Amino acid sequence: MKIENLFKNITKENHNLQDSMAINGLASDSSKVKSGNLFIAIKGTSHNGHDYIDEALGNGANAA
């Protein structure tokens, strides 16, 4: 699936995103990211996923 289709009506904060970029999966745990995944950063009650964006990109995420 291409990012442009996934987020068609959603404003996105750019963290390596390119509209024509293909992704092969989703992950919200930076330690479980696989190459080509889109990392979804979620603000939780005890952790903020935005703090793990660099780790997710380092673990192979195409974008966050």
Side-chain angles (χ1 to χ4, degrees):
M1 176 178 291
K2 294 195 178 192
I3 297 274
E4 63 190 344
N5 295 329
L6 187 63
F7 293 110
K8 195 174 204 171
N9 297 311
I10 298 174
T11 302
K12 57 187 180 281
E13 182 178 328
N14 191 347
H15 286 282
N16 212 38
L17 290 173
Q18 299 170 11
D19 284 341
S20 62
M21 179 183 291
I23 57 168
N24 61 13
L26 303 174
S28 60
D29 182 333
S30 60
S31 67
K32 295 182 179 179
V33 167
K34 295 180 182 172
S35 181
N37 281 178
L38 171 65
F39 177 67
I40 305 297
I42 300 170
K43 185 175 181 181
T45 56
S46 61
H47 296 285
N48 185 341
H50 293 86
D51 296 336
Y52 298 93
I53 289 174
D54 288 336
E55 180 181 341
L57 293 172
N59 286 341
N62 275 358

